[in-house]
Amino acid sequence: MSAQDFLVELGTEELPPKALKSLGEAFLAGIEKGLKAAGLGYAGTRVYAAPRRLAVLVEQLEEQQADRSMNLDGPPIQAAFDADGNPTQAALGFARKCGVDINEIDRSGAKLRFAQHIPGQPAVNLLPTIVQDSLNDLPIPKRMRWAARRDEFVRPTQWLVMLFGDAVVDCEILAQKAGRVSRGHRFHANRDVRISSPANYAEDLRSAYVLADFAERRELISRRVDELAAAEQGSAIVPPALLDEVTALVEWPVPLVCSFEERFLEVPQEALISTMQDNQKYFCLLDGNGKLLPRFITVANVESKDPAQIVSGNEKVVRPRLTDAEFFFKQDKKQKLEGFNQRLANVVFQAQLGSVFEKAQRVSTLAGFIAREVGGDAQRAARAGLLSKCDLATEMVGEFPEMQGIAGYYYALSDGEPQDVALALNEQYMPRGAGAELPSTLTGAAVAVADKLDTLVGIFGIGMLPTGSKDPYALRRAALGVLRILIEKGLDLDLAAAVDFAVAQYAGKIKTEGLAAQVLEFIFDRLRARYEDEGVEVAVYQAVRAVTPTSPLDFDQRVQAVQAFRKLPQAAALAAANKRVSNLLSKAEGGVAAQVEAHYFDNPSEFALHAAIQQADQAVQPLAAARQYNEALTKLAGLREPVDAFFEAVLVNAEDARVRANRYALLARLRGLFLGVADISVLG
């Protein structure tokens, strides 16, 4: 079947830069979906996206659909005809649906059937609808109208190119009549550009100063920014989202180095970087020590004969932004950081839970408790907790909300606070997302855990639990943050004690009955998803959860040990035996004796199991106490043979009540050994 290249380009006013890449990808996906649905084969596709255009090139698109046959089934034969062989209304209705006489319907099978032959249509007749449908399905939150037209799109349309081979596809889409004329660069080549063929699309536009390929522009900008940064003895900060946005702003990218006064470097560099990236779309430069250089790179959309003019213009534009940051920084430093707590006493944290300053006081006390428990400095943790929210009332954070924590760090250092106290003011918000950085100091870890636990307890205490996808206070993220800090930093904190401490601080403000247990359950429930992501089986998590360790670090150590134990050849048999023991013990009447009396044994396998349990107990108890759970379970794996022999030779529910009770006591000792690590009966 013959095939030709197909090109569609929709020209518009400047498209939203943050959405350009996704719009291009969605346009391509929509066209591919339409071609597949139409049964039109092709060799390959490419998408083009620039500030004023979206385009798709389809290579070697089939010119014609293949003919198709479609079988339509009707009612069963017995329902299609009456006793005299006349068609019923069901049969006549089916014939009308197929558009034929009842005599043309096949009645040789169990049902009426009509075989319909559908001749293939030329691709050129199908393409306008495919393109229109793809444009209609673009992810555009809010469409706009223009002039007196009723057509809607993300931006007003200006032209439309649709070529199939060398011919223009005759159609009108979004108020534009299809042709073969595109437009060049708004300044360098503000003229019509004739597209000679679909395959030459990119080159025809390149001659008019338009790089239509998003990926090509992105790579060019990235490479030139790196080269210019190296020439300045620095490295550029190039966040992927910013690179995508800048790529979407220019048709003919020309990166240029600009500078600003060195005096601005006295301002926290995060504030300078933030304003230059967010407001001006500049790439900032760092030296070899990670310190900001008084340089930045802008990406112009023109190849100027006098680039110095563009550089000068950008330097003038950025100066007021940096001056504002400098002003806020100097204003804030006129008073000590701690003084900002006075403002926070009038700022509500949550209507039922008091002010932000009251929260800081609770975090301070709780952080001191946690620091003592994990081997940190309680006094410094308490100090950091007290200062933890101060920078929320500063001018700097008011202007640059992303500076919360970071501003506090700089102001605390300026006030002469210890390094770890200053760091904790930023580290309290860590981890800021899945897989994000954790606090580097014990003080920071204590404050981060305290802040999250205080929020969890307070919000749970007023009944505002997360539901479905709604979690306005990010409680799930807070719980995961607590777990990550304690497990990944190896901090052995009894979470039950910490939550009890946090609950006690809310006494009189909220209903505290059952609150600690509710919060603990919520936190440990988050571990299940964490382990599933790591490939740990749910049964392993449940085996550990059954013995309710209250230290997340201890919980994790047990999980890793059980996961390793599960791979041992003895694991399945021992899990099954534990399950059997658990079932037996649950039916024991009047409780189970604490002591095993050897004189009630009447079978060699009982003596053998008892001896093996005593030996295992002596070996495993110190291992479990030292949290060497892996080694403990490996030792317990050696019990498989005497356990199997016992169940093979001994009837546990003996007629003699004393013998039976003694056997229950023996099995309880066996089960207790495993419960020192996990309930492996769950694995069975």
Side-chain angles (χ1 to χ4, degrees):
M1 186 175 287
S2 56
Q4 298 191 75
D5 292 342
F6 168 66
L7 170 73
V8 55
E9 180 200 53
L10 180 64
T12 68
E13 295 297 337
E14 273 74 3
L15 293 160
K18 289 185 178 179
L20 180 64
K21 186 179 180 185
S22 61
L23 286 174
E25 291 168 348
F27 188 30
L28 172 63
I31 287 178
E32 289 177 335
K33 177 184 175 184
L35 294 175
K36 184 178 180 181
L40 291 169
Y42 53 87
T45 57
R46 289 194 68 175
V47 62
Y48 298 92
R52 296 192 296 153
R53 69 201 76 221
L54 292 173
V56 169
L57 171 65
V58 182
E59 297 167 344
Q60 293 300 294
L61 175 65
E62 292 176 351
E63 293 183 359
Q64 179 88 15
Q65 279 182 318
D67 292 348
R68 291 176 293 159
S69 293
M70 185 167 64
N71 293 323
L72 298 176
D73 284 337
I77 293 295
Q78 60 266 34
F81 300 95
D82 60 20
D84 299 325
N86 298 314
T88 63
Q89 286 301 315
L92 293 172
F94 178 64
R96 281 195 300 273
K97 176 184 173 184
C98 296
V100 295
D101 187 84
I102 186 65
N103 294 321
E104 296 179 56
I105 302 291
D106 178 12
R107 59 185 77 176
S108 60
K111 292 182 177 180
L112 294 184
R113 171 168 288 188
F114 177 67
Q116 185 178 18
H117 177 74
I118 305 172
Q121 295 187 59
V124 71
N125 294 348
L126 302 169
L127 289 170
T129 301
I130 291 172
V131 170
Q132 181 70 68
D133 289 346
S134 180
L135 291 169
N136 290 343
D137 291 341
L138 290 185
I140 303 170
K142 193 171 183 180
R143 294 172 183 260
M144 63 185 296
R145 293 180 183 175
W146 58 97
R149 301 184 180 278
R150 298 190 63 81
D151 303 276
E152 293 183 346
F153 197 55
V154 62
R155 292 290 185 269
T157 60
Q158 295 294 337
W159 72 88
L160 176 66
V161 174
M162 279 183 67
L163 298 176
F164 190 38
D166 193 47
V168 174
V169 179
D170 185 19
C171 66
E172 183 175 312
I173 296 174
L174 290 175
Q176 300 301 326
K177 179 77 174 169
R180 67 184 315 130
V181 176
S182 182
R183 305 270 176 87
H185 190 283
R186 196 183 283 280
F187 305 112
H188 282 307
N190 192 15
R191 62 177 185 269
D192 290 345
V193 178
R194 184 180 185 276
I195 304 301
S196 56
S197 71
N200 287 337
Y201 170 72
E203 292 307 313
D204 288 340
L205 284 180
R206 192 188 304 273
S207 66
Y209 286 85
V210 174
L211 294 181
D213 190 328
F214 187 95
E216 181 184 359
R217 292 198 313 281
R218 192 180 194 276
E219 194 281 328
L220 186 152
I221 293 169
S222 178
R223 174 168 46 80
R224 283 294 295 143
V225 165
D226 285 344
E227 290 170 356
L228 291 173
E232 297 293 328
Q233 285 77 51
S235 60
I237 305 173
V238 187
L242 178 60
L243 180 57
D244 284 344
E245 189 176 356
V246 172
T247 301
L249 285 167
V250 294
E251 291 182 320
W252 194 257
V254 181
L256 299 167
V257 177
C258 310
S259 61
F260 58 85
E261 291 94 325
E262 290 197 20
R263 66 183 175 87
F264 290 122
L265 294 178
E266 296 177 11
V267 179
Q269 68 180 44
E270 290 86 352
L272 304 181
I273 292 169
S274 173
T275 191
M276 286 193 282
Q277 287 182 347
D278 297 346
N279 298 309
Q280 304 305 132
K281 314 306 174 190
Y282 295 152
F283 297 106
C284 302
L285 303 187
L286 302 177
D287 65 16
N289 297 317
K291 299 297 182 183
L292 187 66
L293 289 169
R295 303 279 188 278
F296 61 90
I297 295 173
T298 186
V299 180
N301 191 30
V302 293
E303 200 168 281
S304 176
K305 294 178 181 177
D306 186 10
Q309 291 291 336
I310 297 176
V311 170
S312 175
N314 279 278
E315 291 175 350
K316 286 178 182 176
V317 167
V318 79
R319 191 171 296 114
R321 296 278 186 187
L322 302 185
T323 301
D324 284 349
E326 180 185 46
F327 172 76
F328 296 134
F329 184 58
K330 288 182 175 178
Q331 282 294 106
D332 289 337
K333 288 181 67 177
K334 287 181 179 178
Q335 64 172 301
K336 294 281 189 182
L337 180 61
E338 188 174 1
F340 288 99
N341 266 332
Q342 295 173 7
R343 296 186 192 178
L344 295 178
N346 300 315
V347 178
V348 174
F349 163 56
Q350 202 284 333
Q352 294 170 255
L353 303 178
S355 69
V356 176
F357 177 52
E358 288 175 301
K359 177 176 176 62
Q361 289 177 309
R362 290 193 302 271
V363 169
S364 173
T365 308
L366 181 54
F369 169 81
I370 292 171
R372 275 192 298 274
E373 296 295 306
V374 299
D377 188 313
Q379 190 174 354
R380 289 190 178 183
R383 177 64 178 166
L386 190 63
L387 300 175
S388 62
K389 307 302 174 188
C390 287
D391 67 355
L392 297 179
T394 63
E395 300 287 342
M396 178 69 81
V397 173
E399 180 68 16
F400 305 106
E402 63 277 12
M403 286 292 291
Q404 68 176 30
I406 299 169
Y409 164 75
Y410 283 103
Y411 295 147
L413 283 183
S414 178
D415 289 348
E417 299 286 350
Q419 178 76 12
D420 61 335
V421 171
L423 281 169
L425 305 191
N426 183 37
E427 292 179 343
Q428 66 175 306
Y429 299 107
M430 294 179 179
R432 287 183 163 88
E437 182 184 2
L438 296 176
S440 63
T441 64
L442 280 178
T443 301
V447 177
V449 172
D451 181 53
K452 293 168 178 59
L453 289 182
D454 178 78
T455 299
L456 283 161
V457 167
I459 302 302
F460 265 78
I462 57 174
M464 296 183 68
L465 282 63
T467 55
S469 60
K470 293 183 179 179
D471 187 7
Y473 288 93
L475 300 184
R476 293 187 183 95
R477 190 172 71 184
L480 283 168
V482 168
L483 293 168
R484 276 198 64 205
I485 291 169
L486 297 178
I487 292 172
E488 294 179 32
K489 292 191 68 66
L491 303 180
D492 190 17
L493 176 69
D494 182 343
L495 205 53
V499 170
D500 284 340
F501 193 100
V503 169
Q505 294 199 99
Y506 276 105
K509 275 196 171 184
I510 56 177
K511 186 179 178 182
T512 58
E513 185 180 349
L515 178 58
Q518 189 182 23
V519 172
L520 277 174
E521 184 177 2
F522 178 78
I523 294 174
F524 280 107
D525 276 350
R526 306 278 76 74
L527 272 176
R528 177 170 179 160
R530 172 190 167 102
Y531 287 128
E532 283 180 0
D533 291 343
E534 293 176 0
V536 175
E537 296 167 73
V538 173
V540 172
Y541 160 81
Q542 291 171 332
V544 176
R545 186 76 186 270
V547 298
T548 61
T550 56
S551 162
L553 178 63
D554 184 33
F555 195 114
D556 184 67
Q557 290 167 339
R558 292 171 189 257
V559 163
Q560 303 309 327
V562 175
Q563 181 77 345
F565 169 76
R566 187 143 204 199
K567 298 173 184 176
L568 297 178
Q570 304 95 323
L574 284 171
N578 266 268
K579 191 169 188 177
R580 185 174 178 183
V581 170
S582 177
N583 291 334
L584 286 167
L585 294 177
S586 67
K587 297 170 185 174
E589 297 176 1
V592 179
Q595 297 295 322
V596 178
E597 304 291 343
H599 58 84
Y600 286 119
F601 294 159
D602 63 5
N603 189 293
S605 62
E606 286 184 278
F607 287 100
L609 180 58
H610 185 232
I613 288 173
Q614 286 181 314
Q615 289 177 354
D617 190 28
Q618 291 178 356
V620 166
Q621 274 203 15
L623 290 173
R627 294 192 181 174
Q628 294 177 302
Y629 299 123
N630 226 329
E631 293 82 349
L633 286 177
T634 302
K635 289 276 186 189
L636 291 175
L639 291 173
R640 177 187 171 177
E641 287 186 15
V643 168
D644 287 350
F646 174 85
F647 280 117
E648 202 171 307
V650 174
L651 176 65
V652 176
N653 288 319
E655 289 187 16
D656 188 323
R658 291 171 298 179
V659 172
R660 183 169 64 248
N662 195 55
R663 287 173 180 170
Y664 272 61
L666 179 63
L667 293 178
R669 284 281 306 278
L670 171 68
R671 182 154 167 73
L673 285 175
F674 284 94
L675 288 176
V677 179
D679 184 357
I680 69 163
S681 69
V682 176
L683 305 178

